[in-house]
């Protein structure tokens, strides 16, 4: 085995300041989670990752299993002028959302949660192999897992999905809501875990970010302020705490 094949190739995140925390970016062909409560910036972070890839010539795919992609497109354009409609028309971005016939059918009938997630995994694998993107975002996955009572089954289903994504060669980003108390199961099987928070410090609401893990990479142990401006998201050199 040659030397170049023994280590991961780095993929720039597109979030200024973030790659300094993880020695250059995410690893290619890995599954990466972004966890946080509502309003912490998970979807912006992950969408910026997809947008950066498209700017660098990498096709992107965004999968939204619980809502219409139109909401995301409007949010990103209104906030940052990222025109996902145009990128779709140009074939640089593929959107798969709840209006997809397979997802709509499964959500409209009484389907066992395990069967639904198995069918969802098959749908993701089929779409990725057909469209051949280099970067994939699934936003948000946790809503489906709340109906599964067994942690073992949940872990097995997550591992199967993550394994399928790695086998296709994509670099995947999965957002996870922190409100359901089951994030550890998803994070355990991921190659990297980024944690976003939003809390009151004095009289200000401050967003923060830290890296919980990244397999095969040196990471910073510091917590940083996370800023959102008209240009998108950026990691500050400042710490949120005195």
């Amino acid at each position: 085995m040659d030397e170049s094949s023994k280590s991961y190739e780095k993929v720039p995140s597109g979030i200024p300041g973030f790659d300094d925390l993880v020695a250059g970016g995410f690893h290619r062909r890995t599954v990466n989670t972004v966890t946080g409560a509502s309003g912490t910036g998970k979807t912006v972070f992950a969408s910026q990752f997809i947008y950066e890839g498209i700017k660098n010539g990498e096709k992107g795919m965004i999968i939204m299993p619980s809502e219409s992609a139109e909401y995301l497109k409007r949010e990103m354009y209104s906030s940052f002028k990222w025109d996902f409609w145009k990128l779709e028309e140009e074939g640089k971005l593929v959107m798969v959302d709840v209006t997809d016939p397979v997802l709509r059918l499964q959500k409209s009938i009484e389907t066992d949660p395990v069967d639904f997630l198995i069918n969802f995994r098959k749908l993701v694998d089929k779409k990725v192999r057909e469209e051949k993107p280099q970067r994939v975002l699934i936003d948000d996955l946790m809503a489906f897992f709340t109906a599964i009572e067994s942690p073992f089954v949940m872990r097995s289903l997550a591992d199967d999905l993550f394994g399928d994504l790695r086998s296709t060669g994509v670099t995947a980003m999965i957002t996870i809501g922190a409100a359901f108390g089951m994030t550890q199961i998803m994070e355990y099987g991921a190659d990297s875990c980024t944690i976003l928070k939003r809390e009151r410090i004095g009289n200000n609401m401050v967003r923060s970010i830290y890296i919980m893990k990244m397999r095969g990479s040196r990471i910073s142990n510091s917590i940083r302020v996370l800023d959102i401006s008209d240009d998108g998201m950026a990691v500050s050199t400042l710490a949120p705490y005195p």
Side-chain angles (χ1 to χ4, degrees):
M1 182 178 290
D2 60 76
E3 291 298 319
S4 62
S5 62
K6 292 180 181 179
S7 58
Y8 288 107
E9 177 187 353
K10 287 287 188 176
V11 176
S13 65
I15 291 88
F18 178 83
D19 293 352
D20 296 336
L21 304 180
V22 293
F26 294 104
H27 296 317
R28 194 174 295 282
R29 299 185 178 91
T30 58
V31 176
N32 308 276
T33 60
V34 181
T35 303
S38 179
T40 54
K42 301 183 300 296
T43 300
V44 175
F45 184 99
S47 297
Q48 192 162 333
F49 169 76
I50 295 294
Y51 189 67
E52 172 71 11
I54 293 172
K55 289 196 298 182
N56 291 333
E58 297 185 56
K59 187 176 181 179
M61 175 179 285
I62 298 177
I63 301 170
M64 303 184 67
S66 58
E67 66 178 356
S68 169
E70 289 299 305
Y71 296 114
L72 177 66
K73 294 175 189 177
R74 288 194 181 95
E75 178 186 352
M76 295 304 130
Y77 188 79
S78 297
S79 300
F80 314 115
K81 293 297 183 279
W82 301 343
D83 195 338
F84 283 1
W85 288 284
K86 182 179 179 183
L87 295 177
E88 266 194 300
E89 292 172 359
E90 295 173 345
K92 298 175 181 178
L93 174 66
V94 177
M95 306 287 286
V96 181
D97 65 6
V98 73
T99 64
D100 183 275
V102 174
L103 285 177
R104 187 172 64 246
L105 175 64
Q106 293 294 322
K107 289 172 75 73
S108 65
I109 60 177
E110 292 294 330
T111 304
D112 180 270
V114 173
D115 291 337
F116 178 84
L117 281 165
I118 291 172
N119 291 335
F120 175 73
R121 174 175 59 83
K122 292 177 180 178
L123 172 66
V124 171
D125 186 70
K126 178 176 181 289
K127 293 289 187 181
V128 169
R129 294 185 187 279
E130 287 176 351
E131 299 292 344
K132 297 179 173 54
Q134 284 77 50
R135 300 192 185 198
V136 172
L137 160 61
I138 302 179
D139 181 52
D140 166 9
L141 198 56
M142 280 306 296
F144 291 155
F145 282 84
T146 57
I148 298 174
E149 296 181 0
S150 168
F152 174 78
V153 173
M154 189 186 303
R155 170 71 192 280
S156 297
L157 291 168
D159 285 347
D160 288 345
L161 174 62
F162 292 177
D164 281 356
L165 287 167
R166 293 187 189 102
S167 72
T168 63
V170 303
T171 307
M173 185 79 62
I174 296 178
T175 64
I176 303 175
F180 302 106
M182 296 178 290
T183 60
Q184 293 87 348
I185 292 175
M186 304 291 289
E187 292 168 344
Y188 189 88
D191 297 293
S192 82
C193 303
T194 300
I195 311 298
L196 308 185
K197 291 191 173 184
R198 186 172 183 264
E199 54 195 319
R200 192 181 79 174
I201 300 178
N203 292 323
N204 298 308
M205 295 300 297
V206 178
R207 288 184 176 88
S208 63
I209 182 171
Y210 69 91
I211 316 303
M212 187 172 73
K213 75 170 184 180
M214 180 172 283
R215 294 170 178 166
S217 178
R218 173 182 54 81
I219 61 174
S220 170
N221 291 321
S222 63
I223 302 174
R224 301 285 183 86
V225 170
L226 189 62
D227 295 320
I228 300 180
S229 69
D230 291 343
D231 297 321
M233 184 171 277
V235 177
S236 170
T237 57
L238 301 175
Y241 311 106

